[in-house]
Amino acid sequence: MKSMTVGKKIGGGFALIILLATLASAIGIWKAVEAEREVGDLSQTHLPLAMMEGKLADTAADQELQALLYVIHGEDKYIEKFGKLDVAEDNNFEQVKGLIKADEVLVKAGWIEVIAKAEKLHDEFKNAALALMEAAKSKDQQAIGKKADDLETASSKFAEAIGHFAQINEKEARQVASNAFSQSVFARTLMSIVTAVIVAVGLTLAFFITRSITKPVNRIIEGLQEGADQVASASSQVSGASQSLAEGSSEQAASIEETSSSLEEMSSMTKQN
């Protein structure tokens, strides 16, 4: 770290922050995609299946009603309505099977077998209703009563099968919703943690990078200050030496002046003699 230049330190710090941000974004996107898939599973599979459960039950109930109305009134229009409802119910089952087949997880979980069992029970229910309407034509009250009991039994079994299918669909839908929520919470928590880590790493890098820049500068400043002090000290010494030299020169000049004066005096005395 000490041998690295300032530019490399700054570049490395930003590279680390970018790496963390990229990693967090990748994981966040992955979890968001997972959550979106779970939500799509709810909207495209389980909610439509829940609606189809209601249609299956309602259509069968309407069929039973038409059979009973025929027993009461004996009008063929109820038989015709029963037949149309039976075609509609077959279409309902095909739609349910189509939704299940579109989801590999549900296929592996055996949902096709569950709805096939319900479809078989509906066929038994339909046959019981047809038998009741056929008995109504004979006006045999005993036969009508027996066939009515058979229809009630078949209707209850079919209702139980649809109820069972509704329960497993609701359970799976709750699990899917829980998974989607968990994925969302995980992604949000991860982004919060990574954001905090990036901030902490950024502050740490800023501290060390600033320190790595200011420390050499401070050493240079201290060196310059020390050099300036040494120059100032040398200047002071030179100034002192110059002053001493000047004083010595002044004293020497005075001495020379005295000597010159003495020589003049001696020369004057010599002339007089």
Side-chain angles (χ1 to χ4, degrees):
M1 187 75 176
K2 291 182 179 179
S3 62
M4 293 176 63
T5 63
V6 174
K8 288 183 178 180
K9 291 177 181 178
I10 295 175
F14 279 111
L16 179 59
I17 292 175
I18 292 172
L19 178 62
L20 289 173
T22 302
L23 180 62
S25 299
I27 297 175
I29 291 172
W30 171 49
K31 289 298 181 181
V33 170
E34 289 292 317
E36 184 178 357
R37 185 183 66 79
E38 299 289 357
V39 172
D41 195 18
L42 274 176
S43 62
Q44 296 175 15
T45 301
H46 295 289
L47 290 179
L49 282 176
M51 294 177 62
M52 293 308 301
E53 294 157 12
K55 289 183 70 174
L56 286 170
D58 290 344
T59 303
D62 202 1
Q63 281 185 288
E64 186 174 6
L65 175 63
Q66 298 306 314
L68 295 175
L69 288 174
Y70 178 78
V71 171
I72 296 171
H73 301 287
E75 299 179 10
D76 290 341
K77 65 178 182 179
Y78 298 114
I79 296 179
E80 293 176 4
K81 183 68 180 295
F82 181 91
K84 291 179 180 179
L85 290 171
D86 191 54
V87 172
E89 191 76 327
D90 289 340
N91 290 333
N92 292 338
F93 274 109
E94 289 303 318
Q95 290 184 49
V96 171
K97 286 187 285 186
L99 289 170
I100 295 173
K101 290 177 180 179
D103 193 321
E104 187 177 352
V105 175
L106 301 184
V107 173
K108 290 181 178 180
W111 284 36
I112 289 292
E113 289 76 10
V114 174
I115 200 64
K117 181 180 178 180
E119 188 174 19
K120 182 179 179 181
L121 289 173
H122 177 264
D123 289 339
E124 294 178 1
F125 160 80
K126 177 186 70 173
N127 292 333
L130 291 174
L132 173 62
M133 289 187 287
E134 190 64 29
K137 293 179 182 179
S138 67
K139 307 296 184 180
D140 185 345
Q141 296 300 318
Q142 185 177 358
I144 292 174
K146 183 179 182 305
K147 297 302 180 181
D149 291 339
D150 292 342
L151 176 60
E152 184 178 0
T153 301
S155 176
S156 297
K157 289 181 179 181
F158 176 69
E160 288 177 4
I162 294 299
H164 173 65
F165 183 75
Q167 287 178 355
I168 63 174
N169 184 50
E170 181 182 359
K171 182 179 179 181
E172 182 68 16
R174 288 181 182 276
Q175 183 62 47
V176 169
S178 177
N179 291 342
F181 179 74
S182 298
Q183 299 286 2
S184 175
V185 170
F186 179 85
R188 185 169 61 250
T189 303
L190 176 67
M191 294 302 293
S192 300
I193 293 174
V194 173
T195 300
V197 170
I198 289 175
V199 172
V201 171
L203 292 175
T204 303
L205 287 173
F207 171 77
F208 282 109
I209 291 173
T210 303
R211 185 178 178 184
S212 65
I213 294 173
T214 57
K215 194 172 182 179
V217 172
N218 288 334
R219 283 202 301 267
I220 293 172
I221 293 174
E222 290 174 0
L224 291 173
Q225 185 65 44
E226 185 177 350
D229 292 341
Q230 291 177 354
V231 170
S233 177
S235 298
S236 178
Q237 292 176 2
V238 170
S239 176
S242 298
Q243 186 176 358
S244 298
L245 182 60
E247 290 177 355
S249 298
S250 297
E251 291 176 357
Q252 187 175 9
S255 176
I256 292 172
E257 188 178 353
E258 289 177 1
T259 302
S260 177
S261 178
S262 298
L263 289 174
E264 288 178 0
E265 216 174 289
M266 288 177 63
S267 175
S268 177
M269 289 177 62
T270 300
K271 289 180 180 180
Q272 289 177 0
N273 291 333

